[in-house]
Amino acid sequence: MKKQIRRILSVILCLAMLIPVAAVAGQAKEKSEAEYPIVFVTGIGQSYSYFYENVEDAKKYPEMLEAVQNGTAGEGVRETDGSKTRWNLFCNDFSFAFKEPKTILSIIAVAGGLIGTLFTGFNLLPRKQVDSIVTTLFRFNTIDKNGALPENVVTPRANCSVAKMTDEQKENFYRTIPCQDVIGDVGEDMLYCFNYSAFSFTFNNSDDLDKFIDEVVLPQTGKDKVVLVPMSMGASVVSAYLHDYGTKGKVARVVSIVGAWLGSDILADLIELKFADDSKEKFYNGVIADLIGEPWGYLVNIVLHLFRYQAGRGMVDTILNSIVENLVMKTPSLCGLVPPERYPAIRAARLENKPEMAYIMEQTDRYYEVQCDLEETVTTLHNQYGVDFFYIAGYGLGFGDVSSDYEFFKFMQTANTTNSDEIIQIESTATGATCVGAGKQFDSAYLGSHDAKYISPDKSVDISTCYFPNRVWLFENQKHELENNNTALRLAFELSCGKIDNNEQDTERYPIFNESRDLKKLKRSYIPDLERWLESNTPTGEQQELIDDNTKAVNEMMARTINDRDADDAIINDYYEMLITLGVYNAPEEPGAFDTALNNGLKSANDIVWKIWGPKGFLQLF
């Protein structure tokens, strides 16, 4: 149950859960010499923080790090050995909360409100107790008025290149940015990573980035400029940096990977509690059950009919309002993900005339100016300071379209009208793209009056309106976890190294519109698991031939820069089947007779309830 709670809370807040992957051995490398050091500016999925139960243990982190770096810590000791857990987005260990009497009493009160709602048909969740639970659960993600997290939390930053990182730092880097196979001749001594907490002040982060460049990267490399590679939320940090410090002339290029330059509508929908027109159908027969999975999701669908929709919606609003007011709106880095055209309305509703929120509004107003000035800022930096801008993004998906972790996003108002990578709309990641909803097409009049080379193959995106239309690359049906697409990462490195000035020079290798690729399971599990198996097993001649054939197919696939999603997935599946044949994995078990009967029975019951009641509670039929 606690696992499900953590998952659902993660879904509600997560905007870029980016799952890292490991390296693939044997990949052919390409020469990509770096003229300037490359600085990855992390998104939510690549950033990380550590939670310590005792503040004193957290305070020991710097000396632990120093001991590991100078070799005096002892064999096998890591700098974060004293921590209890690590997270990207929010604290994922709530055990402390359930030990506190206040929290237990609040849970009892909320349970009573849930029962009352069931019997009366009205939302009776006690807001005060809901607020208490939310503030307790997210205690270690709540920042103070200076933008600092509690002392129990450490957000490490490696003030050195990847080459000089500790083993743990390097593992974190490659786990979240699996670029070993596409680095080429760049060299780890020219790679840097700017880590920060997802819960922070954007301008604190941009100030720190300026210091990181001036005091760490440039002195260590002897260069006078850097290449910034913002990922997801990292684009908001880079936007603020370019606005305030761009004219210092320290940036040669910016290579954006699914960057949230102009926010994400999904967060604005959440803050404004704007739900999709078909949210009733999704509430009673869709999203919530999909989160839980078969067969119990069908049972959940049936149980949800015990509630009137208005009451169920009221409970959802109560919970989300509490999260928004007590966490999201008190975190400028999250507020920075609000699209600029939607900020004034959110400001009026959530910030104005609230003295206790004045320090937040000062930060968010300032960042709103950054967003409004973005096109002028990047154009000026490009024309007058020679900064090159490149954008790599995914398109063709609605919010929460394919990933189970993001099912909740389907509830949001813009889910049915957006064209995105499931998390951020293409207008933001490609800065200025024009589009219609995923799965739809421009009308013939639009297509007839615009240059076909800028129109996506599915006729849903036009990049001619982007800030830099000749410097945009899009991957169709690509999830936000774009780092699992090695073609996209290879492209990012070649752009970072200045090997491609604009997309017209190398469209044969890197077409403007490419297909998606997902190597997560292959690189994170399949290949490492085979390597471990080979350490203790000697394959027969037939087995070795099978391994060689599948390894060759995988390496050839990963070397191709023109993706074919169906063909790539087939090769990855063949590799998985090989692991079953070798005995590395057991064949998936077929569901037993009881499990099949239970699943079919609950599905049939759910279908009957839906056919009779539809998007209504049981009592609403009468």
Side-chain angles (χ1 to χ4, degrees):
M1 178 59 72
K2 290 181 180 178
K3 183 178 179 180
Q4 292 296 337
I5 291 173
R6 290 197 298 267
R7 186 181 182 193
I8 292 172
L9 288 171
S10 175
V11 167
I12 293 174
L13 291 176
C14 175
L15 297 172
M17 299 290 282
L18 302 177
I19 306 298
V21 292
V24 177
Q27 176 82 13
K29 300 182 185 298
E30 297 189 21
K31 186 172 182 178
S32 304
E33 295 180 356
E35 179 183 3
Y36 302 107
I38 299 169
V39 180
F40 281 90
V41 183
T42 60
I44 290 174
Q46 300 83 34
S47 63
Y48 53 94
S49 299
Y50 292 87
F51 168 65
Y52 293 76
E53 279 194 300
N54 300 313
V55 172
E56 292 305 314
D57 289 337
K59 291 181 177 179
K60 292 178 182 177
Y61 171 79
E63 61 185 73
M64 286 284 290
L65 175 62
E66 183 179 359
V68 171
Q69 289 174 326
N70 61 29
T72 61
E75 186 176 354
V77 175
R78 296 195 167 211
E79 58 266 32
T80 61
D81 280 350
S83 64
K84 187 175 183 183
T85 187
R86 189 191 83 168
W87 67 78
N88 294 96
L89 183 59
F90 61 87
C91 182
N92 53 17
D93 185 341
F94 300 126
S95 58
F96 69 91
F98 299 101
K99 299 175 183 177
E100 300 177 2
K102 180 181 177 182
T103 302
I104 296 173
L105 291 174
S106 294
I107 291 173
I108 293 172
V110 169
L114 186 65
I115 295 171
T117 301
L118 176 62
F119 283 103
T120 66
F122 297 96
N123 173 30
L124 297 179
L125 282 189
R127 176 61 188 270
K128 182 178 179 181
Q129 280 69 35
V130 171
D131 285 346
S132 177
I133 293 173
V134 168
T135 54
T136 299
L137 291 178
F138 297 108
R139 177 186 304 165
F140 297 109
N141 291 109
T142 303
I143 57 178
D144 63 21
K145 292 189 175 183
N146 296 312
L149 287 164
E151 291 183 301
N152 302 68
V153 180
V154 172
T155 303
R157 182 173 298 145
N159 290 316
C160 60
S161 68
V162 172
K164 296 182 180 179
M165 286 182 177
T166 66
D167 290 343
E168 184 171 11
Q169 290 171 339
K170 189 175 291 190
E171 286 173 13
N172 284 333
F173 176 77
Y174 283 129
R175 183 175 174 82
T176 55
I177 307 173
C179 58
Q180 299 95 317
D181 307 319
V182 297
I183 288 177
D185 294 335
V186 169
E188 290 184 340
D189 58 334
M190 292 291 277
L191 285 183
Y192 288 79
C193 184
F194 181 79
N195 184 48
Y196 60 93
S197 171
F199 294 84
S200 51
F201 281 9
T202 301
F203 290 101
N204 286 0
N205 296 330
S206 66
D207 291 345
D208 286 348
L209 177 59
D210 178 59
K211 294 177 182 176
F212 185 73
I213 292 170
D214 279 351
E215 300 175 9
V216 176
V217 181
L218 297 183
Q220 289 181 6
T221 60
K223 303 293 184 176
D224 60 348
K225 292 183 180 182
V226 301
V227 176
L228 296 178
V229 184
M231 304 179 73
S232 193
M233 181 190 271
S236 62
V237 177
V238 172
S239 292
Y241 169 83
L242 294 174
H243 188 272
D244 290 351
Y245 299 104
T247 56
K248 290 175 64 175
K250 299 297 179 69
V251 178
R253 304 179 190 97
V254 176
V255 181
S256 172
I257 299 178
V258 293
W261 294 93
L262 297 170
S264 175
D265 277 317
I266 206 68
L267 182 71
D269 285 347
L270 173 65
I271 293 173
E272 295 187 281
L273 301 184
K274 290 187 174 181
F275 292 88
D277 292 338
D278 59 350
S279 59
K280 287 185 180 181
E281 288 80 358
K282 291 174 178 175
F283 177 77
Y284 285 114
N285 194 39
V287 174
I288 296 177
D290 289 342
L291 280 170
I292 296 171
E294 297 181 343
W296 303 114
Y298 297 126
L299 180 60
V300 168
N301 278 343
I302 296 170
V303 171
L304 286 173
H305 283 274
L306 294 171
F307 297 93
R308 295 170 63 243
Y309 175 73
Q310 291 82 352
R313 168 68 189 267
M315 290 190 297
V316 171
D317 284 358
T318 297
I319 295 170
L320 291 183
N321 251 319
S322 182
I323 292 173
V324 168
E325 290 185 4
N326 292 295
L327 185 67
V328 177
M329 295 310 300
K330 292 184 178 179
T331 309
S333 57
L334 295 182
C335 293
L337 296 176
V338 172
E341 67 272 15
R342 299 182 66 175
Y343 175 71
I346 289 174
R347 180 185 192 273
R350 296 286 189 179
L351 296 173
E352 289 180 5
N353 302 316
K354 295 181 180 180
E356 72 278 9
M357 300 294 284
Y359 74 102
I360 295 293
M361 192 161 65
E362 179 183 358
Q363 292 278 327
T364 55
D365 282 355
R366 185 180 167 193
Y367 187 71
Y368 173 61
E369 292 181 9
V370 169
Q371 289 182 307
C372 292
D373 294 343
L374 179 63
E375 184 171 9
E376 180 183 353
T377 297
V378 299
T379 302
T380 298
L381 291 176
H382 176 68
N383 292 337
Q384 298 183 20
Y385 293 84
V387 182
D388 284 326
F389 290 86
F390 306 96
Y391 302 88
I392 304 172
Y395 75 100
L397 299 175
F399 289 136
D401 234 8
V402 295
S403 301
S404 59
D405 284 343
Y406 306 140
E407 287 278 354
F408 182 83
F409 296 164
K410 292 181 179 179
F411 272 128
M412 299 295 102
Q413 183 183 62
T414 53
N416 296 332
T417 59
T418 191
N419 198 315
S420 74
D421 58 19
E422 282 200 297
I423 303 292
I424 305 174
Q425 63 275 12
I426 189 68
E427 299 96 323
S428 179
T429 52
T431 57
T434 300
C435 67
V436 292
K440 301 177 182 178
Q441 294 185 352
F442 291 115
D443 58 36
S444 56
Y446 187 95
L447 293 173
S449 60
H450 289 77
D451 192 336
K453 79 172 184 178
Y454 293 115
I455 304 294
S456 62
D458 69 350
K459 297 179 174 58
S460 72
V461 176
D462 176 12
I463 62 171
S464 69
T465 55
C466 291
Y467 296 175
F468 300 99
N470 290 323
R471 299 183 176 212
V472 175
W473 286 262
L474 301 185
F475 291 85
E476 184 177 11
N477 296 329
Q478 177 66 54
K479 297 190 295 185
H480 192 65
E481 299 170 335
L482 191 137
E483 72 273 24
N484 294 318
N485 181 341
N486 71 322
T487 298
L489 277 184
R490 180 179 285 110
L491 170 62
F493 268 91
E494 294 202 24
L495 291 169
S496 297
C497 296
K499 296 183 69 175
I500 304 173
D501 291 331
N502 62 63
N503 66 358
E504 294 181 336
Q505 291 186 338
D506 202 355
T507 53
E508 290 188 3
R509 283 205 310 140
Y510 297 108
I512 301 171
F513 300 102
N514 209 334
E515 291 190 27
S516 63
R517 178 178 285 171
D518 188 353
L519 302 180
K520 179 171 66 176
K521 290 182 179 179
L522 178 69
K523 298 179 74 175
R524 188 180 186 186
S525 300
Y526 299 167
I527 291 175
D529 288 345
L530 176 61
E531 291 174 347
R532 282 188 286 270
W533 183 82
L534 289 171
E535 290 174 0
S536 55
N537 294 273
T538 302
T540 65
E542 185 177 345
Q543 288 176 329
Q544 187 61 56
E545 184 177 353
L546 184 64
I547 293 171
D548 291 343
D549 288 345
N550 279 274
T551 299
K552 179 181 178 182
V554 161
N555 287 338
E556 289 177 349
M557 177 265 290
M558 290 191 296
R560 290 194 292 268
T561 57
I562 298 179
N563 299 347
D564 183 330
R565 184 58 187 263
D566 290 340
D568 294 351
D569 285 350
I571 291 170
I572 294 170
N573 186 66
D574 287 345
Y575 199 95
Y576 170 73
E577 294 293 337
M578 174 196 69
L579 296 178
I580 294 176
T581 301
L582 294 173
V584 178
Y585 295 155
N586 295 322
E589 293 183 10
E590 294 293 330
F594 174 78
D595 292 335
T596 300
L598 176 64
N599 190 75
N600 292 340
L602 289 176
K603 184 179 186 303
S604 297
N606 173 70
D607 292 344
I608 292 171
V609 168
W610 177 252
K611 184 175 182 180
I612 297 174
W613 275 271
K616 299 177 181 178
F618 288 134
L619 297 179
Q620 287 178 270
L621 184 64
F622 307 104

